Amino acid sequence: VVTEAGGNAEVVQHEGTGLVVPIRNAEAMAQAVIRLLRDKASAQRFADAARQSVRQHFSFRHTLQAMETLYEEMLAEKHVQR
């Protein structure tokens, strides 16, 4: 369970890899936590999906490839601007 603050909603997909609640809404946060405590199947489904998402999008290899692509694009732009 995360709030919409910062990049949380980009990492956690509501009803996919977890629950996203509005910022500064303690009632919504509490209800989301209670829901997952009561609904073990959904909690497990979110956990499994989140684990897969992290492996896919936040692995060292993925991060390295993204950085490499970024540097290549920056270098290409620099050559075009000359």
Side-chain angles (χ1 to χ4, degrees):
V1 179
V2 299
T3 67
E4 297 168 331
N8 291 338
E10 293 175 15
V11 176
V12 176
Q13 292 80 41
H14 186 66
E15 296 288 344
T17 57
L19 299 174
V20 181
V21 298
I23 300 169
R24 294 185 187 94
N25 189 330
E27 180 65 25
M29 176 66 78
Q31 290 301 317
V33 170
I34 290 168
R35 173 185 164 194
L36 293 181
L37 289 172
R38 289 182 177 159
D39 185 356
K40 303 287 187 206
S42 288
Q44 187 62 55
R45 183 172 44 85
F46 293 155
D48 293 343
R51 190 174 301 107
Q52 181 63 29
S53 177
V54 166
R55 284 185 182 138
Q56 214 171 22
H57 298 96
F58 300 101
S59 69
F60 178 74
R61 175 169 284 143
H62 183 271
T63 302
L64 186 62
Q65 288 173 339
M67 294 280 295
E68 185 178 5
T69 299
L70 175 65
Y71 284 128
E72 287 172 352
E73 289 171 357
M74 290 171 62
L75 286 171
E77 284 181 19
K78 187 171 184 163
H79 287 292
V80 170
Q81 291 177 358
R82 286 185 179 183

